[in-house]
Each structure stands twice: as structure tokens, then as C-alpha cells.
Amino acid sequence: MENKETVLVTGGTGFVGVHTILQLLQKGYNVRTTLRSLKRKDEIITMLKNGGIASFEHIEFIEADLTKDDNWDKAVKGCDYVLHVASPFPQGEPKDENELIIPAKKGTLRVLKAAENAGVKRVVMTSSFGAVGYSIDPKNHVFTEQDWTDPNTNLAAYIKSKTVAELAAWDFIKNNEGNLELTVINPVGIFGTVLGNDLSSSVQLVEQLLTGKMKATPKLNFSVVDVRDVADLHILAMKNPEAKGQRFLAASDGATSLPKIAELLRSQPHKFGNKVTSKVLPDWLVKILSVFKPELKSVSSQLGITKKISNDKAKKMLGWQPRNWEATIVDTAESLMRINQS
């Protein structure tokens, strides 16, 4: 399937980035991708091979860093669309929130300016549910694309960085005289088929359950979306005229929890062994532990909270059909087993 259009995907080594590249290549697009160092080019090729790509004549690699101006004009030149997927993601909470916020905001503006100068039709930006659902009381509330996290409230640095970067992107478009269009995707926790060894923090939760490293699960409720569905939604939003100027929440139907995910994995012992814990941590213990383990602070603040999220807009406007969370978790676990055996 040949397609003459060229799409730039920023951050090709990332979980969403590589799946998006994979689907674009399968659909016959010419793809260009940025990575901070060309040394990681072979890593992307290996992941794409694991995803079933055999020919690499329609992909091009460019070294470009969101914190620097170098090569962005070259990266966007001749592109019809830009899928801005790249964003700094911390391993832990940084000492200074600006370590995340400034690169996320400035990097987004760098990409938008370069795209506008190059005559790109539309940028589809990966934001986060973090920019939607963290300053509104979730009780009796269904979150939609109309909702915004208030960046002036007390937020984790990553959530604040995604909110500030998305607000800056919409401001850029509003104050801009050009023809560049913007669409934004706001995913919840992203799971799904792993193509390489560099695991996202969401997928690491499943790995910790499979290996028995997680000895007990906190009663943490959250929504799930499959990485393949996130990639699909970016491409649908890229092409659909109605998506211009819109945000889309990316979430499967209904919420789950870590104890439920552990229970699902334990229900298939012939596939995943028997290391998955059945122990559940009481809320009071998580709160006490969070005093001594800073990484548990964000967990303890979300205990007992279930956020209802509507994915109706993406389904109705774009015809998006996300997988259910159970299928996504099983596929995540199966792919981790394959990667570990190879």
C-alpha cells in the first residue's frame, strides 16, 4: 500500500512513538522520526522488526533534541503531518519541577514553530489525561475533553508539565496567523504489546507483578488504554477533517485496579507462572509507607478514588474502537514473556 504523504513522528524510541511508526509504515506512509541520538536507530529497527516490518526504505531517522533548535527545520521539511509524541518522562519525581516543565513546554513550541514554517498541515500532539483530570473533584463527575487540570494547583511535576505544554500549544495556535492545525490526544495509563526492552513505567507495573517483585498491591484504581489504540487514534486524528482544533481522551471502557490486574494474571497461571501476588495493601499502610518512600506519595494521594472517563468523543467523531482493558493487560504480559525469552 503506497502513500505519498510524509509524517514526522517525534520520539521514535518511545512506547507510543514506535507503535505509531509501525502503523504508519503498515499503512504505506513515508515516515521520518526524531531521536535524541542516532545511536538508538538500531533499537527502533529491531522493535519494528519485532512488530513485523521487513522493509525500511520508507523510514528516515533524524537526530533532534526537544531542548535544542538543531535539526528541527530539517526534520519537518517536506512533511504533511507531524505527530508530536516525544515528551520527557521522569523515573522519579525531580527535585525541581522545571526540569520537566521547561523542556516539555519549550520542546512543544519548538516543534510547532518548525511545523508552521515548513507548511505542515496538522500537528497531532500527545498530551495526557494528566492535563484533564487532576484538579476537579471526581465524585459524581464524568471526565470529558472539556475538563482541564489547573496548573496552579498542587500537582506532580509530570502532570504539571503535560498541562503546561498542552496549554502552551493551544495558545500558540490561537495567537498564530498561519494555517497550521492542532489536534491533541489525552491518553490514560498506556499498556499493551511491548516491542523492546526499554519499558514504560505503566508496563513495569505488569512486569513487577509477573516477576513477583511487587509483593502486595495497593488499592489503586485507574483507567487503561492499549498502546496500539493510542497509535491508531493519532492516525485517525491526523486524517479526519473534523479533528481540527479538538482534544480526544484515549481510554478503554471502565476503570480497573492493581488488585484486579493481579487477579486477572493469576487466573491464567499456565501462561504467567505463579509469582503474581494475591496480597492487597491496606490504604492506611500505603499512607504510612509514603512518608518514608517518596515514590508512594502520588499513589497514596489517589487511594480510594475512581475517575469516570468518557471516550465517547473519539468513538463517535473518529470511529475509534479501543480494546478492553483485560485483553490489553494479557497482551502486555504475553509480550513481556516473549521479550524475556528472546
Side-chain angles (χ1 to χ4, degrees), residues 21-71:
I21 293 167
L22 178 67
Q23 289 188 26
L24 287 166
L25 289 173
Q26 286 168 339
K27 290 174 188 296
Y29 287 93
N30 292 310
V31 180
R32 200 176 287 160
T33 188
T34 61
L35 47 169
R36 276 177 296 182
S37 167
L38 284 179
K39 289 175 185 168
R40 296 192 70 185
K41 173 183 160 181
D42 289 345
E43 215 176 299
I44 299 179
I45 288 172
T46 300
M47 287 192 283
L48 291 171
K49 280 180 180 171
N50 290 339
I53 297 295
S55 166
F56 295 90
E57 62 187 299
H58 294 292
I59 184 166
E60 189 184 346
F61 301 89
I62 297 206
E63 191 167 286
D65 189 318
L66 287 174
T67 62
K68 297 170 189 162
D69 288 333
D70 307 357
N71 284 347

Side-chain angles (χ1 to χ4, degrees), residues 259-323:
K260 274 189 190 172
I261 286 173
E263 190 184 332
L264 174 67
L265 295 173
R266 283 199 316 278
S267 72
Q268 305 184 51
H270 58 291
K271 280 186 179 176
F272 306 126
N274 55 2
K275 293 180 182 174
V276 181
T277 184
S278 59
K279 292 177 183 169
V280 178
L281 283 171
D283 291 355
W284 62 266
L285 184 55
V286 179
K287 284 173 181 169
I288 290 171
L289 289 171
S290 71
V291 176
F292 307 100
K293 293 191 168 195
E295 65 270 22
L296 286 176
K297 273 186 184 165
S298 59
V299 173
S300 69
S301 69
Q302 298 299 310
L303 290 170
I305 296 171
T306 302
K307 294 180 180 177
K308 294 190 180 80
I309 300 168
S310 170
N311 56 14
D312 284 354
K313 185 175 173 182
K315 285 178 172 177
K316 287 173 182 171
M317 193 179 282
L318 304 179
W320 186 60
Q321 296 179 305
R323 293 163 175 81

Side-chain angles (χ1 to χ4, degrees), residues 141-188:
H141 184 79
V142 177
F143 286 94
T144 72
E145 290 81 0
Q146 299 296 316
D147 294 314
W148 276 93
T149 296
D150 180 354
N152 299 311
T153 49
N154 185 21
L155 299 169
Y158 175 71
I159 288 166
K160 190 167 181 179
S161 76
K162 296 303 281 187
T163 308
V164 168
E166 190 188 336
L167 284 166
W170 288 119
D171 278 346
F172 177 88
I173 294 296
K174 189 171 82 177
N175 300 322
N176 190 28
E177 302 287 311
N179 297 317
L180 182 67
E181 298 173 359
L182 177 66
T183 304
V184 172
I185 310 297
N186 299 81
V188 294

